[in-house]
Amino acid sequence: VPPVLLVLPPLDDDDELELDDEELEELLLDEDPLDPVDPVLVLPGVDISTGNIRFTGSVRIDGDIGQQMTVQADGDIIVRGTIDGGLVQAGGQIQVTGGVIGHAKVQAQGDIQAKFAEASVLKSGAALDIRTYAMDCTLQALQTITIGQAAPRNGRLIGGSATALLMLTTPILGSDAAGLTHLCVGTHPE
């Protein structure tokens, strides 16, 4: 399925961006109407100026997602910055090049990848990969949780809880200076 990019500037008057199927068809110029497309919405960031985002397709955000903002997509979500609070939900995968902080709630039917996570909830329908550390988070994965692959000597899981059906790996588990770290492996997260 060939992707189609929709690049939209920040919105001034709307506090929410929603495109129904008819509006989406008007934006997509496809020579073969029988050839399915996977639309991709590209935004510089998500904050009060863009409003909340609900999109049929995939979303790429080239910056951060601000506090209390919502981003929902039927496809994948790529964030080339940080998720700072709010709600992010994907029918596919979620990739975050920065971190997940500020009591964010991140849910994906597929994999979730992030550089780090602090004080947030991350729920994956497949694998969950935190490249450096997770601190005081609730982590849930239907397959595996992997923490610290990018920092094999310093990667750590500190405080919070982690539940994985198949496997959980981390170079360092817990800390004397932090609260308890609760683990559950081999059971369904829900």
Side-chain angles (χ1 to χ4, degrees):
V1 176
V4 173
L5 292 179
L6 299 175
V7 180
L8 301 176
L11 304 173
D12 292 329
D13 299 322
D14 298 332
D15 58 294
E16 197 167 283
L17 174 65
E18 279 190 63
L19 296 175
D20 62 27
D21 291 338
E22 288 179 24
E23 293 169 319
L24 186 58
E25 266 185 59
E26 290 175 19
L27 290 172
L28 299 176
L29 299 174
D30 191 10
E31 293 178 13
D32 184 359
L34 298 177
D35 188 19
V37 295
D38 181 22
V40 178
L41 175 66
V42 179
L43 296 166
V46 176
D47 56 23
I48 195 98
S49 70
T50 61
N52 294 320
I53 306 297
R54 289 178 181 81
F55 189 71
T56 302
S58 296
V59 176
R60 186 182 88 202
I61 299 163
D62 291 335
D64 299 332
I65 297 176
Q67 280 283 333
Q68 299 181 5
M69 302 308 300
T70 297
V71 177
Q72 297 172 315
D74 293 345
D76 297 338
I77 297 176
I78 298 171
V79 180
R80 294 181 173 173
T82 298
I83 299 174
D84 185 6
L87 173 66
V88 179
Q89 294 177 315
Q93 301 180 19
I94 296 176
Q95 295 179 344
V96 185
T97 59
V100 178
I101 60 174
H103 303 283
K105 293 181 182 170
V106 178
Q107 299 173 301
Q109 296 290 325
D111 296 342
I112 297 175
Q113 298 174 344
K115 184 175 182 180
F116 65 90
E118 291 181 13
S120 296
V121 176
L122 292 87
K123 296 182 179 183
S124 170
L128 176 56
D129 178 18
I130 308 296
R131 292 185 298 280
T132 56
Y133 70 91
M135 185 182 313
D136 295 322
C137 291
T138 299
L139 307 176
Q140 296 180 353
L142 284 180
Q143 294 177 3
T144 62
I145 296 175
T146 305
I147 298 170
Q149 275 189 319
R153 293 185 181 188
N154 298 317
R156 57 189 67 220
L157 172 60
I158 301 170
S161 66
T163 304
L165 186 59
L166 300 178
M167 178 178 68
L168 185 145
T169 58
T170 182
I172 300 170
L173 177 62
S175 169
D176 293 337
L180 292 176
T181 305
H182 300 274
L183 303 178
C184 191
V185 178
T187 188
H188 197 284
E190 295 293 325

